């Protein structure tokens, strides 16, 4: 049976979904694999693996350029992904869907194309304290080149955005607000609709990093009205090396290309080059063809389960874990905002996060330990890092119980 069809069982049937993921057939140190690092990169269902393998076995060729059947078939499959993405995020047109290597490249594309051609010395960009490094460093590079000003909106002790402080930073000098939709480090869901409206009121554009939102929340670009939105395929049960930049068509039309090469041109001579139409103007070179086809399959897969059901399932697991953690008097949760995703970020007294991660690993439990590419967020809470458990569609209450047992072992070792 097709994996996407298996996943439509009602009520939510974690065992059937988990069976779609071949990686869970193995054991770690003789114990069932408990994978709680989906926020870093999600595991892949068999249907995604099969779709990519099938391309290589039956219809691989370079796309957009061949008049022969293999090339036309591969092109048709690849371009079908663009429509799937458009529908998944409810964009107005496939011309607004730019394929990238991931969200990081999407942000860099906006910084180097829109930012370099639009911003001037003294213009201001607002970020939040809990941004991933990918949504900090590109703007710092632009700041050093152009002399723009970066301002940072704070979060409170729970990790929620201080919206009044954010609004106080806005002015006629604000040209861009670049913020995360859901924090990868502490799980906070920012009020992006309110952020977009407030930014637009002062004439600023908005870029949203949706890496942690796309796998858990229903997205609607036309309702949200963000100017740019990025996410990565590998966090939504698709392959690595492929991602999406959504941009409003008028903005993309006005932006210069970021990279030059094949497919992004209309004509080339040594005297002059003209650019291809959207979206190809921003897609230089041979793309990750199999990755694009795998992304389509992944989006179809999670859509068949239902984003609302996924969110509810993950929040149920989060609530269970938080309840069981009350038995520990030496664990502090970092990030307890009223609206958050299924991410459990914690510190334990007298035990470094890396030690927590190492001991849990020997129990078959995979969590992330460190600063999660969000050092300013860690600095805000005056910690070097956290141990982070993040839930996905294949996790269940037995996984939560395994995590808690592992933490008890950590406590027994470190006292």
């Amino acid at each position: 049976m097709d994996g996407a069809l298996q996943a439509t069982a009602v009520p939510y049937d974690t065992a059937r979904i988990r069976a779609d993921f071949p990686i869970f057939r193995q054991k770690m140190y003789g114990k069932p694999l408990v994978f709680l690092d989906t926020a870093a990169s999600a595991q892949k269902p068999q249907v995604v693996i099969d779709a990519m393998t099938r391309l290589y076995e039956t219809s691989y060729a370079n796309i957009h350029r061949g008049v022969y059947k293999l090339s036309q078939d591969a092109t048709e499959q690849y371009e079908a992904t663009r429509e799937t993405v458009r529908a998944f995020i409810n964009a107005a047109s496939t011309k607004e869907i730019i394929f990238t290597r991931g969200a990081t490249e999407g942000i860099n594309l906006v910084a180097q194309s829109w930012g370099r051609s639009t911003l001037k010395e003294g213009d201001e960009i607002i970020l939040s304290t809990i941004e991933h490094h990918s949504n900090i460093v590109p703007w710092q590079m632009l700041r050093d080149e152009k002399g723009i000003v970066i301002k940072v909106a704070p979060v409170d002790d729970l990790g929620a955005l201080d919206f009044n402080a954010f609004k106080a930073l806005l002015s006629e000098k604000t040209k861009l607000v670049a913020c995360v939709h859901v924090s990868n480090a502490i799980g906070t869901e920012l009020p992006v609709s309110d952020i977009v409206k407030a930014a637009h009121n002062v004439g600023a554009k908005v870029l949203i990093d949706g890496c942690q939102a796309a796998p858990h929340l229903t997205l609607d670009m036309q309702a949200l009205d963000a100017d740019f939105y990025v996410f990565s395929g590998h966090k939504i049960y698709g392959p690595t090396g492929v991602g999406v930049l959504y941009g409003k068509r008028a903005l993309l039309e006005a932006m210069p290309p970021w990279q030059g090469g094949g497919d992004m041109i209309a004509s080339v001579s040594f005297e002059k080059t003209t650019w291809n139409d959207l979206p190809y103007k921003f897609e230089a070179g041979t793309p990750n063809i199999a990755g694009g086809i795998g992304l389509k399959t992944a989006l179809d897969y999670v859509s068949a389960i239902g984003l609302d059901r996924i969110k509810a399932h993950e929040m149920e697991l989060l609530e269970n874990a938080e309840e069981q953690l009350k038995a520990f008097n030496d664990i502090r949760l970092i990030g307890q905002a009223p609206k958050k995703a299924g991410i459990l970020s914690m510190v334990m007294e007298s035990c470094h996060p890396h030690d927590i991660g190492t001991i849990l690993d020997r129990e078959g439990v995979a969590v992330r330990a460190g600063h999660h590419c969000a050092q300013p967020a860690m600095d805000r809470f005056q910690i070097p890092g956290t141990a982070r458990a993040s839930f996905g569609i294949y996790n269940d209450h037995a996984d939560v119980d395994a995590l808690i047992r592992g933490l008890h072992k950590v406590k027994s070792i470190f006292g």
Side-chain angles (χ1 to χ4, degrees), residues 113 128 136 167 184 217 244 261 329:
S113 177
S128 83
I136 299 174
K167 288 195 297 184
N184 74 300
L217 304 175
V244 172
N329 58 13

Side-chain angles (χ1 to χ4, degrees), residues 81 85 99 231 233 236 238-239 242 244 290-300:
T81 303
V85 172
F99 290 132
F231 65 93
I236 195 166
V242 64
V244 172
I293 290 168
L295 175 61
K296 180 186 189 306
T297 307
L299 296 181
D300 288 341

Side-chain angles (χ1 to χ4, degrees), residues 25 53 69 97 100 153 187 221 255 260 279 309 333 400:
R25 297 170 194 160
T53 301
K69 188 176 189 308
I97 307 301
T100 64
M221 292 302 107
M255 288 161 51
R309 297 176 69 220
L333 297 181
V400 175

Side-chain angles (χ1 to χ4, degrees), residues 302-355:
V302 296
S303 296
I305 299 173
L307 273 297
D308 291 342
R309 297 176 69 220
I310 290 171
K311 170 75 170 177
H313 172 70
E314 292 167 346
M315 294 309 294
E316 181 183 316
L317 297 179
L318 178 66
E319 291 168 7
N320 180 7
E322 290 180 338
E323 182 62 31
Q324 294 197 58
L325 283 173
K326 290 179 180 178
F328 294 81
N329 58 13
D330 57 348
I331 287 181
R332 177 165 62 104
L333 297 181
I334 306 298
Q336 292 287 280
K339 289 191 70 174
K340 64 172 296 182
I343 290 174
L344 193 71
S345 208
M346 69 190 93
V347 293
M348 180 182 285
E349 293 177 14
S350 72
C351 184
H352 193 279
H354 288 168
D355 293 322

Side-chain angles (χ1 to χ4, degrees), residues 20-23 44-54 294 297:
D20 290 338
F21 291 78
I23 200 164
K44 318 307 173 193
Q46 189 68 56
V47 288
V48 169
I49 298 168
D50 289 346
M52 297 173 69
T53 301
R54 190 163 51 248
T297 307

